[in-house]
Amino acid sequence: MTGPNAAPAPSAARGILLVAHGARDPAWRAPIEAIARRLRALAPGIWVQCAYLEHSVPDLPAAVAQAAAASVKTLRVCPLFLGAGRHARQDLPRLLRQLQNTWPAMVFDLQAPVFEQPQVIDALATAALAPAFPKK
């Protein structure tokens, strides 16, 4: 992948894949890609990419192929879902099992949906209590 949203070449064999639902509206991806940019800034030696289950690119198989091409050996898969619905409980694990057959040397480290993690819940509660949101 080339362009401003391409994952930079990593210096380590670790990667983080942010998996989100996807949407037909390209603007929907902006917050997901902002998280990826922030991760790249915080951990420049780790390969970081977004993947989408529906309606957006790259899809999960394409993103994993990019990780393999970048020599990623351990891929932390972070579902950016609001909860553990069907995509998190069934679809994503099934897709990762299929991808494990394609890339047997890659370790897929599937995390709990990010919005169920205590630090994210605290951050969202803190944001809701903030006196005002920044104007755009």
Side-chain angles (χ1 to χ4, degrees), residues 18-114:
L18 303 174
V19 180
H21 185 274
R24 287 182 179 89
D25 181 353
W28 179 92
R29 295 188 316 256
I32 308 303
E33 292 171 1
I35 295 168
R37 284 191 302 277
R38 182 68 177 136
L39 276 168
R40 290 182 193 117
L42 291 170
I46 296 176
W47 181 90
V48 176
Q49 183 58 285
C50 301
Y52 304 97
L53 296 182
E54 299 177 4
H55 310 299
S56 300
V57 293
D59 64 9
L60 187 62
V64 171
Q66 292 171 14
S71 300
V72 171
K73 302 295 182 212
T74 301
L75 187 60
R76 173 179 264 190
V77 180
C78 299
L80 299 185
F81 301 128
L82 291 176
R86 181 180 53 88
H87 281 318
R89 285 190 330 268
Q90 297 172 7
D91 299 339
L92 187 53
R94 177 183 45 79
L95 290 167
L96 290 176
R97 283 191 301 274
Q98 292 170 355
L99 291 167
Q100 186 72 75
N101 291 330
T102 305
W103 289 281
M106 187 178 296
V107 175
F108 293 94
D109 179 17
L110 179 59
Q111 302 294 299
V114 71

Side-chain angles (χ1 to χ4, degrees), residues 2-24:
T2 59
N5 295 322
S11 60
R14 296 181 302 147
I16 297 174
L17 187 60
L18 303 174
V19 180
H21 185 274
R24 287 182 179 89

